[in-house]
């Protein structure tokens, strides 16, 4: 496999990982910012207050976006990965 094809495959893999993982990470970021703002405004410094809502939001995000994520990963595997394996 030529180096250019390998770099294109690596670039596509990074892009797919950003597309698949990005929305869930954005959900975690937004929930973390909201909880941090709430803690700053109310002076509540409870450690579980930061983790439990984030975990719940991430699980809901995975539940809602799971089909999209699986489709994207499946399309990536069926496309460039299978083609690269076939050319070896």
């Amino acid at each position: 496999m030529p180096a250019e094809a390998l770099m294109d495959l690596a670039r596509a893999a990074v892009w797919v990982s950003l597309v698949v993982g990005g929305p869930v990470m954005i959900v975690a970021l937004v929930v973390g910012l909201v909880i941090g703002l709430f803690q700053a405004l109310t002076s509540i410094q409870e450690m579980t207050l930061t983790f439990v809502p984030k975990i719940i939001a991430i699980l809901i995000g995975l539940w809602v976006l799971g089909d999209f994520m699986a489709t994207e990963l499946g399309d990536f595997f069926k496309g460039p990965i299978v083609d690269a394996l076939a050319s070896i």
Side-chain angles (χ1 to χ4, degrees):
M1 175 179 279
E4 295 84 21
L6 188 60
M7 288 303 295
D8 288 339
L9 186 62
R11 187 176 301 118
V14 168
W15 179 250
V16 168
S17 67
L18 287 174
V19 168
V20 168
V24 176
M25 297 301 282
I26 290 171
V27 167
L29 175 68
V30 169
V31 170
L33 285 174
V34 169
I35 296 298
L37 183 63
F38 176 74
Q39 282 184 322
L41 291 174
T42 60
S43 297
I44 298 173
Q45 297 301 323
E46 179 66 31
M47 290 301 293
T48 58
L49 186 62
T50 59
F51 294 112
V52 173
K54 260 198 257 188
I55 290 172
I56 292 170
I58 289 171
L59 289 175
I60 290 171
L62 288 172
W63 179 60
V64 170
L65 298 170
D67 186 43
F68 164 74
M69 295 165 74
T71 303
E72 286 292 318
L73 288 173
D75 291 345
F76 178 66
F77 181 75
K78 285 186 245 177
I81 299 294
V82 171
D83 292 341
L85 289 174
S87 69
I88 291 179

